[in-house]
């Protein structure tokens, strides 16, 4: 069949009538242009910490910089990269900046970028086994690798008759497992029961859960966000869950699904898996464990305890794209009963029928996810696991936790501040303590109930101002949350380029802005 | 804030206690390793047409080649790429091979690979505007660019108060619009009405539609797949739709949503949009137009006619990742009423609250899609549109259609074969004609009803054997469908590396296998 070399290296050979047809895979150009993009990215990483972390552009800025229609003729990559530098980079909030401490990180790495190149290069669509066996089988393999790294119980692994799949994101993982749970009940009780199904999470469960429940048709009135309190560090109470379920059953409803969280988004709270699963199992409910952020840490033996009880759950997911260097998108989902997914998600149109599927010897991942098409994402996970190895990945996690601990210590040393919750992973939740504010206003009654409410309100306002000032400086970027009525600054460590000096600098930025805010407000409180 | 250069170029400087922490963005290594991957891909493309197009591996092959656990220590990229070459490549079905004529293509291009590098390199997560304004605004911009290229009516563009969003895939596009439609009705009639909602497509509508309807909680009994026939070239009949709707209303059901298709997967049938929309509008239904494959062709004025009537629809989607060179994933969805999406899909947790969102001046794309996180996919579309330009993209589409026409002519010249449907785009549907088989068996009654059924059955069997033999050869890969009871071979042209010689060779492969099958069956029918 010969080689393509001639065609590819000489794109002008592809002539249609009088028209020369471009070659979108011109290999000579490919080499030259890849080099340009690598240079661009190297330069970007070298400079990224100089950029304002939170983009400072105004809404609508880009439409003033770029034309309103696509060009008729091709443009050189040089011009495009120049526009990226001039117009796109200033409009980025720099997630890879070492001064990015917001949300949770979404890490990239050399391995991830290389794998994305291979993925786009092969551009295979492994919706079923036959459409690219390697895409399916590599995913089977690495999901077992990763499952073993997390010490997941064998029933979650392919080698234990469960199995793992890479979904795009947590919402998709929850939708798929919710559908499996929903349809299991509806097959028994009839489709009209859909209006009676109830799902449970806490008021700290990620918003994806509520959204996923709405997607699959759960009545919004039947989505429970059970209240958590500071007394249990904002984890879901099994007692409360039991009571809610019984009350729903009394009302003629059907308990369906519990989403428990290991490492909530606001404050990395950890729901007690074992007792929650015990309650849920009494009612035949599906339990999903969402460890989107914190799951990655559980490859370290010292963090694995947070997953204790997962053996009683039906499904478990975490995002390797957060803390495990794969870049978006790589949400890893394991289920004990893949067949439950397949029953809800399978399609079998004539144009996809094939012998391998009919042999029942293969996994067709289209039946484990929402969409038909799927990217070859297992390449990313495979490259990350091999290029870094378990040992390095653990030290990567530990280093971030160590830096978070350092920050926590710095906060604790300054008596104007408090660490609001004990740190579980690499997120520090802190704020200016109300006492630092109370002390600055003479004459206000402190100690009675009104005083407490006033203090809380003032503290919340001041901490919001502090965050706003910090982020407006462009020097660092953090985000916030409100739990139990308390406004809290979130300092998440995890950028791959972060070093000790960035954490120390970030703390200085916090202190400087606090100094100026507190002094404007008339405080003379000393600090360490 | 200084430069990262020292750190990045000297990874060993990051020391924690006695432990050296790896640097997953070591820029020196990055340059070297990118070069290796580029060399690997160039080599892959040079050789791809020599590989069996359909992978010839057996189920379970990969677990015999690779270890069952992740490595403790890092491994060199050299070893990994060696494994890719030895174990992954043989397990790929080569979607980028010029001999791949299966399904519909999923094209990659230099622009797509470069953009994926940038996307993974920046690794920003533009779930809302503030988390990376450029990611949102570039998407706004390019979706308007592409909308104009397709001559979409202004109400679909941001500049006309509609707007576009890049979803991962068609299923997601349909789920999101179905939810918008569903919730619009449920807000009016109460959530319990979910059991009465009915959705409509034809028996040719893509399986994603049925799946999406199941996802959002439509009763499977209320998903209509209206029958199509050869007399209307397998397009959906507006009369039939009207009758089905009226019958459902009479039964106390609520018509909700119509999914019309431009270019069905089986045979690229085109549903008549204007009359279908007229029927649907009478009942206040949402109409979505799915042009997953064929949409790309409509950037050429001569194909734009297939979208006539889209001005009466509520939403429109097509996959740039199929025929428009962006590689997976890039499903472009436009809606006239973005607010309908936002009402169903928005989330507003405290940890994402920000001034820009509250100003109502910005788009937060998390509220236009299922997941929170999202990749910076607009980079792909932007690079493709700029690096190739409208003119080249049109000639890319036209060239594939020209090659498909060539194949169609070759089929037509051989009297043993028939082109089963007139070609609309770059898909040719063909088969060995029953007469070629009938003529080879002496004494069987031909012409009466039994004879016709026998003929059809024999023809279907033989054509299935033909496809099996062709694909087993590894020389080319095609797929099949069955419409109106007829087994049809699908020859889809669109690989970026395909040239005239590949199409001619593919036809020779078809003929050779047909010769041998027909002669084994005792036929002596001549062919041109």
């Amino acid at each position: 069949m010969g080689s393509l070399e001639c065609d590819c290296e000489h794109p002008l050979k592809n002539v249609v009538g009088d028209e020369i047809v471009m070659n979108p895979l011109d290999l000579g150009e490919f080499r030259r242009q890849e080099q340009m993009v690598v240079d661009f990215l190297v330069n970007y990483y070298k400079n990224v910490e100089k950029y304002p972390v939170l983009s400072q552009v105004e809404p609508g800025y880009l439409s003033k910089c770029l034309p309103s229609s696509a060009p008729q003729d091709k443009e050189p990559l040089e011009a495009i990269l120049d526009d990226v530098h001039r117009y796109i980079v200033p409009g980025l909030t720099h997630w890879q900046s070492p001064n990015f401490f917001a949300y949770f990180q979404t890490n990239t790495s050399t391995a991830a970028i290389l794998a994305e190149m291979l993925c786009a290069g092969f551009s295979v669509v492994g919706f079923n086994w036959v459409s690219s066996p390697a895409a399916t089988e590599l995913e089977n393999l690495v999901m077992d690798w990763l499952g073993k790294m997390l010490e997941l119980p064998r029933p979650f692994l392919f080698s234990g008759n469960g199995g793992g799949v890479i979904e795009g994101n947590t919402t998709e993982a929850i939708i798929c497992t919710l559908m499996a749970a929903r349809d299991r009940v509806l097959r028994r009780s009839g489709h009209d029961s859909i209006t009676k199904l109830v799902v449970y999470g806490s008021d700290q469960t990620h918003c994806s859960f509520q959204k996923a429940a709405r997607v699959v048709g759960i009545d919004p009135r039947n989505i429970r966000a059970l209240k958590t309190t500071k007394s249990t560090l904002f984890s879901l109470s099994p007692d409360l869950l039991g009571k809610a379920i019984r009350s729903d059953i009394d009302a003629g409803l059907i308990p369906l699904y519990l989403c428990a969280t290991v490492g909530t988004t606001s404050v990395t709270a950890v729901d007690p898996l074992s007792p929650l699963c015990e309650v849920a199992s009494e009612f035949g409910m599906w339990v999903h464990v969402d460890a989107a952020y914190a799951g990655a840490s559980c490859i370290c033996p010292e963090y694995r305890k947070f997953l204790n009880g997962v053996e009683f759950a039906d499904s478990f997911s975490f995002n390797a794209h957060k803390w495990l260097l794969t870049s978006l998108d790589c949400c890893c989902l394991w289920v004990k009963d893949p067949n439950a997914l397949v029953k809800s998600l399978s399609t079998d149109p004539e144009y996809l029928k094939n012998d391998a599927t009919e042999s029942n010897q293969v996994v067709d991942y289209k039946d484990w996810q929402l969409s038909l098409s799927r990217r070859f994402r297992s390449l990313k996970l495979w490259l990350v696991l091999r290029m870094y190895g378990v040992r390095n990945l653990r030290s990567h996690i530990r280093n971030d936790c160590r830096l978070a601990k350092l920050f926590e210590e710095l906060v604790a040393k300054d008596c104007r501040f408090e660490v609001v919750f004990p740190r579980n992973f690499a997120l520090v939740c802190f704020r200016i303590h109300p006492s630092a504010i109370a002390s600055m206003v003479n004459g206000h009654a402190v100690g009675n109930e009104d005083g407490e409410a006033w203090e809380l309100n003032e503290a919340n306002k001041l901490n919001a101002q502090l965050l706003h000032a910090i982020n407006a400086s462009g020097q660092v970027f953090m985000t916030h949350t409100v739990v139990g009525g308390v406004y809290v600054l979130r300092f998440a460590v995890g950028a791959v380029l972060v070093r000790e000096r960035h954490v120390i600098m970030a703390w200085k930025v916090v202190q400087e802005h606090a100094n100026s805010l507190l002094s404007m407000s008339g405080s003379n409180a000393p600090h360490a």
Side-chain angles (χ1 to χ4, degrees), chain A:
Chain A
M1 280 173 269
S3 155
L4 275 174
E5 190 156 1
C6 305
D7 273 30
C8 295
E9 303 277 3
H10 302 285
L12 300 190
K13 283 199 171 174
N14 193 21
V15 177
V16 179
D18 289 340
E19 199 175 1
I20 293 163
V21 178
M22 64 155 176
N23 179 355
L25 271 175
D26 174 336
L27 299 187
E29 277 293 281
F30 180 56
R31 279 186 192 282
R32 191 182 70 85
Q33 292 174 335
E34 287 284 347
Q35 194 54 54
M36 288 172 62
V37 171
V38 170
D39 289 345
F40 183 93
L41 282 177
V42 167
N43 200 48
Y44 174 73
Y45 293 130
K46 283 186 179 170
N47 290 293
V48 67
E49 74 173 296
K50 296 181 200 160
Y51 303 137
V53 195
L54 177 66
S55 174
Q56 310 284 307
V57 299
E58 293 294 321
Y61 87 101
L62 193 62
S63 63
K64 292 167 194 147
C65 307
L66 295 175
S68 60
S69 300
Q72 287 300 304
D73 290 305
K74 67 179 181 181
E75 297 184 63
L77 182 60
E78 286 81 350
I80 299 170
L81 287 178
D82 196 48
D83 282 353
V84 174
H85 180 70
R86 290 207 288 176
Y87 305 127
I88 302 299
V89 169
L92 297 180
T93 292
H94 299 283
W95 288 64
Q96 302 313 309
S97 165
N99 301 310
F100 183 100
F101 301 100
Y103 311 116
F104 289 123
Q105 277 73 12
T106 293
N107 279 336
T108 195
S109 65
T110 307
I113 302 171
L114 301 177
E116 285 288 5
M117 286 174 67
L118 287 172
C119 175
F122 292 139
S123 202
V124 300
V125 188
F127 40 69
N128 56 13
W129 183 86
V130 77
S131 70
S132 256
T136 296
E137 296 203 9
L138 189 65
E139 191 160 327
N140 297 166
L141 188 89
V142 293
M143 289 302 287
D144 263 18
W145 281 16
L146 191 51
K148 288 176 190 170
M149 287 167 64
L150 292 164
E151 293 185 36
L152 286 187
R154 268 181 55 82
F156 282 112
L157 307 184
F158 284 103
S159 47
N161 292 321
V165 55
I166 304 178
E167 308 277 354
N169 48 73
T170 303
T171 316
E172 191 178 357
I174 299 180
I175 292 173
C176 291
T177 50
L178 250 176
M179 281 181 69
R182 181 195 71 183
D183 294 348
R184 194 171 62 176
V185 170
L186 297 186
R187 274 191 299 270
R188 209 169 48 221
S189 60
H191 192 273
D192 285 359
S193 315
I194 193 171
T195 59
K196 294 185 180 162
L197 302 178
V198 192
V199 299
Y200 303 84
S202 82
D203 57 7
Q204 299 300 307
T205 307
H206 192 266
C207 62
S208 295
F209 172 59
Q210 298 229 2
K211 185 159 168 175
R214 275 153 42 200
V215 170
V216 304
I218 304 297
D219 189 328
R221 292 169 303 182
N222 293 347
I223 303 172
R224 305 276 171 266
L226 301 174
K227 194 169 162 55
T228 60
T229 61
K230 192 166 183 181
S231 67
T232 57
L233 297 173
F234 297 96
S235 71
L236 176 56
S237 150
D239 280 352
L240 200 62
L241 175 68
K243 279 179 198 154
I245 293 173
R246 281 182 204 99
S247 148
D248 284 330
I249 290 175
D250 289 346
L253 300 175
I254 305 170
L256 178 69
Y257 186 101
L258 166 67
C259 182
T261 309
V262 173
T264 60
T265 304
S266 272
V267 299
T268 64
V270 176
D271 291 338
L273 301 185
S274 291
L276 288 172
C277 287
E278 201 175 327
V279 173
S281 79
E282 194 183 323
F283 302 98
M285 290 163 61
W286 184 292
V287 181
H288 179 74
V289 176
D290 169 20
Y293 159 69
S297 72
C298 301
I299 65 167
C300 302
E302 68 270 31
Y303 291 104
R304 175 58 177 77
K305 64 184 177 194
F306 292 111
L307 290 190
N308 286 349
V310 72
E311 57 271 30
F312 306 117
D314 297 277
S315 49
F316 168 75
S317 66
F318 92 98
N319 290 336
H321 62 242
K322 282 198 164 65
W323 207 0
L324 212 61
L325 302 172
T326 63
S327 84
L328 268 178
D329 43 358
C330 191
C331 171
C332 300
L333 167 69
W334 288 267
V335 292
K336 281 183 182 165
D337 180 9
N339 205 32
L341 284 185
V342 174
K343 275 186 192 158
S344 282
L345 295 161
S346 75
T347 50
D348 187 29
E350 182 62 41
Y351 45 82
L352 296 181
K353 286 192 194 296
N354 67 89
D355 294 344
T357 297
E358 276 156 36
S359 78
N360 280 322
Q361 285 191 298
V362 298
V363 169
D364 287 339
Y365 270 127
K366 71 180 175 57
D367 299 338
W368 295 47
Q369 64 173 22
L370 295 180
S371 74
L372 174 61
S373 60
R374 63 199 321 268
R375 306 195 317 125
F376 194 172
R377 289 185 285 226
S378 55
L379 276 174
K380 290 201 290 187
L381 205 45
W382 190 51
L383 256 71
V384 164
L385 298 184
R386 292 189 66 176
M387 284 182 68
Y388 304 128
V390 176
R391 218 182 298 276
N392 276 311
L393 291 169
R394 284 180 180 157
S395 79
H396 153 72
I397 298 282
R398 285 169 180 152
N399 188 42
D400 289 338
C401 293
R402 184 189 66 88
L403 294 178
K405 183 162 177 280
L406 168 65
F407 188 84
E408 191 182 29
E409 287 162 0
L410 292 169
V411 174
K413 275 188 204 153
D414 188 331
C415 62
R416 301 170 305 171
F417 286 84
E418 71 164 341
V419 175
V420 184
F421 307 104
R423 182 184 53 79
N424 283 327
F425 306 99
L427 174 75
V428 181
C429 294
F430 72 103
R431 63 166 180 165
I432 298 177
H433 197 277
S435 63
I437 306 158
S439 69
M440 79 204 188
V441 180
N442 296 325
H444 192 94
V446 171
N448 63 26
E449 257 183 41
D450 268 9
E452 273 175 29
W454 177 86
E455 254 183 40
L456 178 61
N457 192 34
E458 289 301 302
N460 284 356
K461 272 199 290 190
L462 194 79
N463 279 293
Q465 284 166 14
L466 174 63
L467 182 68
H468 192 268
I470 291 169
N471 289 343
S473 78
Q475 294 173 286
V476 293
F477 179 33
M478 308 175 193
T479 49
H480 80 286
T481 190
V482 174
V483 276
V486 177
Y487 187 101
V488 175
L489 281 77
R490 296 172 71 267
F491 185 83
V493 180
V496 288
L497 297 172
V498 70
R499 303 289 178 267
E500 197 168 291
R501 65 186 168 85
H502 301 104
V503 172
I504 293 169
M505 167 68 83
W507 175 241
K508 283 193 183 138
V509 171
V510 172
Q511 281 188 313
E512 278 164 23
H513 287 284
N515 290 347
S516 117
L517 271 175
L518 287 170
S519 71
M520 274 197 307
S521 311
S523 167
N524 297 308
H527 62 278

